[in-house]
Amino acid sequence: MPEMLKFAGQELKVFASAHKACDTVDNLGGTRGLEATVHLSGARCDGAAHGGCQAACLLFWREEWLTTGPLEPSAPKVTVEDLSEQTQRAGDIYHCQATALAQGSTILRAGNLSQYVTDFRSGNVRNPFKLLKGILITFFNVYQWKTYGKLPKWLTIAGGKRYPFYGGTGDGKRVPSGELQPGDLVEVRSKQEIMATLNSANKNGGMLFDSEQLPFCGRQARVERKIEQIIDEPTGRMIKLRDCLVLEDVVCEGIYHKFCPRGGLPYWRETWLRKVEPRES
């Protein structure tokens, strides 16, 4: 993509092996497998060639685009114009790595144990106990999904819910205050407080509170920026967002999603955060 060109010639560390990724287009909740692909530290898409999309996705890099030795110049096979022409189709439909993930990957089943071996060997997951816990969670959730609605209620576990068990207890109405600004120090509210802002689908104003956000409850971070528009990956259309924030150094760890290494930025409603007033010296 054109947004990748600014990293050409730079020396960057490998952030993670991108041997798999959550499927956010064709099979939500599924996983795609990739070969010879990595994510690089700090190499996120700035959306400059895609209508100003603010999702800041970690870019996928094929290993043949990278080198650990001296660069050898070669004649380009495409131009910047060629790349730019591929970013938008049919007027208002955008095309990027995220929307076209299926074209460069294959379906990866949860039962494919080799992916977890790669998670550990690549260094994506360094703690073997954390890896084992993640595998057990994955297989438990697969069981819950496959047996939901097929077993008598007395044989179900937690009503068929997937782990971690959580559920909204409110009406899910969005109530923004407009108070929080980039740079503000905030604390993520407790799980109980956040559940009261969600409806039965775990959404607030249509925005999902994902299970990967639960580990951040009670933690403090600074507001990095507001998110006003992103490309909807299943459709390729630009969508507008309101009352949506991302926090500094708060990145999805894939704990409940088979250790997906995409490093997505969780989206936060203001009502899920509490401003921390600076201490008086």
Side-chain angles (χ1 to χ4, degrees), residues 218-273:
R219 298 191 192 180
Q220 293 186 359
R222 292 196 179 275
V223 176
E224 181 178 311
R225 55 194 170 89
K226 296 182 178 181
I227 303 292
E228 298 177 340
Q229 60 178 15
I230 60 171
I231 293 174
D232 179 51
E233 294 173 14
T235 65
R237 296 184 183 278
M238 188 73 74
I239 58 175
K240 302 295 183 180
L241 300 176
R242 295 179 295 173
D243 182 27
C244 178
L245 306 170
V246 294
L247 306 180
E248 292 180 4
D249 300 321
V250 173
V251 178
C252 174
E253 297 180 351
I255 298 172
Y256 307 114
H257 293 84
K258 310 179 191 74
F259 296 109
C260 170
R262 290 181 74 173
L265 303 178
Y267 296 156
W268 302 89
R269 291 292 197 204
E270 282 196 31
T271 191
W272 301 339
L273 308 171

Side-chain angles (χ1 to χ4, degrees), residues 69-278:
L71 297 174
E72 297 183 4
S74 59
K77 296 181 180 180
V78 297
T79 65
V80 176
E81 290 73 21
D82 292 331
L83 295 179
S84 298
E85 287 177 2
Q86 297 297 314
T87 63
Q88 197 167 356
R89 297 177 178 177
D92 60 347
I93 304 297
Y94 289 94
H95 184 69
C96 68
Q97 287 186 332
T99 65
L101 180 61
Q103 299 174 27
S105 61
T106 57
I107 295 174
L108 184 60
R109 305 293 183 187
N112 185 330
L113 297 180
S114 65
Q115 65 179 296
Y116 308 111
V117 175
T118 303
D119 284 332
F120 188 72
R121 286 183 174 176
S122 67
N124 282 10
V125 184
R126 300 181 184 276
N127 187 323
F129 298 104
K130 181 179 179 180
L131 179 67
L132 178 60
K133 179 181 177 181
I135 294 173
L136 293 176
I137 289 172
T138 294
F139 281 91
F140 174 78
N141 286 340
V142 169
Y143 171 82
Q144 293 289 81
W145 171 63
K146 287 187 175 292
T147 59
Y148 182 75
K150 299 177 183 178
L151 293 177
K153 194 170 183 179
W154 63 274
L155 282 177
T156 62
I157 302 174
K161 290 183 179 181
R162 301 181 196 180
Y163 188 85
F165 310 125
Y166 72 105
T169 59
D171 58 14
K173 184 178 180 181
R174 183 177 66 89
V175 187
S177 67
E179 175 188 7
L180 297 180
Q181 300 298 322
D184 285 344
L185 182 64
V186 297
E187 179 179 284
V188 179
R189 293 184 183 274
S190 68
K191 176 182 176 180
Q192 184 177 6
E193 289 176 299
I194 293 177
M195 293 305 107
T197 72
L198 308 177
N199 59 20
S200 59
N202 293 328
K203 294 183 179 182
N204 177 277
M207 180 178 292
L208 176 71
F209 182 84
D210 191 82
S211 57
E212 299 290 349
Q213 294 173 266
L214 286 171
F216 297 102
C217 287
R219 298 191 192 180
Q220 293 186 359
R222 292 196 179 275
V223 176
E224 181 178 311
R225 55 194 170 89
K226 296 182 178 181
I227 303 292
E228 298 177 340
Q229 60 178 15
I230 60 171
I231 293 174
D232 179 51
E233 294 173 14
T235 65
R237 296 184 183 278
M238 188 73 74
I239 58 175
K240 302 295 183 180
L241 300 176
R242 295 179 295 173
D243 182 27
C244 178
L245 306 170
V246 294
L247 306 180
E248 292 180 4
D249 300 321
V250 173
V251 178
C252 174
E253 297 180 351
I255 298 172
Y256 307 114
H257 293 84
K258 310 179 191 74
F259 296 109
C260 170
R262 290 181 74 173
L265 303 178
Y267 296 156
W268 302 89
R269 291 292 197 204
E270 282 196 31
T271 191
W272 301 339
L273 308 171
R274 178 187 295 108
K275 187 174 181 180
V276 177
E277 299 297 337

Side-chain angles (χ1 to χ4, degrees), residues 7-113:
F7 298 105
Q10 293 189 30
E11 293 185 356
L12 300 172
K13 290 184 178 180
V14 173
F15 171 77
S17 167
H19 66 98
K20 62 181 175 181
C22 286
D23 189 340
T24 55
V25 177
D26 296 324
N27 178 28
L28 300 183
T31 306
R32 307 289 304 187
L34 300 93
E35 295 182 356
T37 307
V38 299
H39 295 301
L40 301 179
S41 295
R44 291 185 178 272
C45 176
D46 63 10
H50 289 81
C53 172
Q54 298 174 307
C57 298
L58 267 179
L59 294 163
F60 291 91
W61 297 87
R62 293 295 195 193
E63 290 185 5
E64 55 262 41
W65 300 341
L66 309 171
T67 180
T68 57
L71 297 174
E72 297 183 4
S74 59
K77 296 181 180 180
V78 297
T79 65
V80 176
E81 290 73 21
D82 292 331
L83 295 179
S84 298
E85 287 177 2
Q86 297 297 314
T87 63
Q88 197 167 356
R89 297 177 178 177
D92 60 347
I93 304 297
Y94 289 94
H95 184 69
C96 68
Q97 287 186 332
T99 65
L101 180 61
Q103 299 174 27
S105 61
T106 57
I107 295 174
L108 184 60
R109 305 293 183 187
N112 185 330
L113 297 180

